[in-house]
Amino acid sequence: MKNFIFKNKITILLCSIILILTVSLFATSFGMENYETVDSSLGIVNTDYLNMRSGSGINFKSIDLLKRNEYVRIFGKIGDWYIVQNEKNKIGTVHQKYITLTSEEKAAVTNSEVIEETSSFSLTSEETELLSLINDERSKNNLPNLEIDENLQNVARLKAKDLVENSYFSHTSPNLGTPFEMLKNNGISYKTASENIAGNSSISGAVESWLKSEDHKKNILSTDYNYTGISVVDSIAYGKIIVELFIGK
């Protein structure tokens, strides 16, 4: 054994150096120097859709899509990202702002015992961003702002959810029908109507692509429309699915 070590000491030394450098590289890549423990070992998703990623940042690949009220096991934290395990036993990271820490006792409460949230209507931050970009573009063209119609907003969210859950990209849903059928089935009356959909990694990118398309741009800048409904949900395939419905009353 001593002879082996002596004869191969240079090789062993090189291998040791490579091993040390490799461990150091992985520690830096995965942010192990920023690893923290958390007080709670359980969390609940507080947004409609949430990408679980392979690393601590939006540039890492999405490995699964979590839904609102889904529980995750939390192992620790790297920067602003929790290391979690979902109900499918997949392990990845999610941003802390989309997880509400909870306890084992609260998780055991049945759905019938959960206190219902107030149903006050509001837009998400991404929906607000989309509406702002659309109305900014209308203002540049001396057009009045589009107003949110609550019923139309609910239909837009329904369509976006359907696009993600059923993995298709079309104005005609296999479950909900055309946009006009959706409006009719949800009791929304209108004189004129249309729909824009997009798959993009950002809200601004989606609006930019719409403005480069004659038909989509026409919908955004049309004087025929005065109300809108918008929805943005996370998508494994596209990053985000964006839906905007327009109607004129």
Side-chain angles (χ1 to χ4, degrees), residues 77-118:
K77 186 181 177 186
I78 300 173
D80 294 330
W81 294 75
Y82 288 132
I83 304 167
V84 302
Q85 178 184 31
N86 69 358
E87 295 172 358
K88 300 175 186 175
N89 290 323
K90 291 185 178 181
I91 295 177
T93 65
V94 293
H95 197 281
Q96 64 176 5
K97 74 177 181 178
Y98 300 118
I99 297 293
T100 300
L101 298 180
T102 185
S103 64
E104 298 281 355
E105 291 77 12
K106 288 183 179 180
V109 176
T110 61
N111 289 335
S112 61
E113 294 173 315
V114 174
I115 299 175
E116 293 184 2
E117 297 180 357
T118 58

Side-chain angles (χ1 to χ4, degrees), residues 23-94:
V23 171
S24 176
L25 176 62
F26 272 96
T28 302
S29 298
F30 287 100
M32 294 174 81
E33 72 281 1
N34 296 320
Y35 178 82
E36 304 174 40
T37 57
V38 293
D39 294 333
S40 176
S41 63
L42 208 63
I44 185 170
V45 178
N46 59 28
T47 187
D48 289 337
Y49 296 95
L50 176 60
N51 280 314
M52 185 167 75
R53 300 186 181 276
S54 60
S56 54
I58 59 173
N59 292 327
F60 287 90
K61 180 182 178 182
S62 176
I63 58 176
D64 207 350
L65 191 65
L66 307 179
K67 299 179 181 179
R68 183 180 292 276
N69 295 329
E70 184 173 341
Y71 283 96
V72 292
R73 180 73 57 187
I74 301 174
F75 297 107
K77 186 181 177 186
I78 300 173
D80 294 330
W81 294 75
Y82 288 132
I83 304 167
V84 302
Q85 178 184 31
N86 69 358
E87 295 172 358
K88 300 175 186 175
N89 290 323
K90 291 185 178 181
I91 295 177
T93 65
V94 293

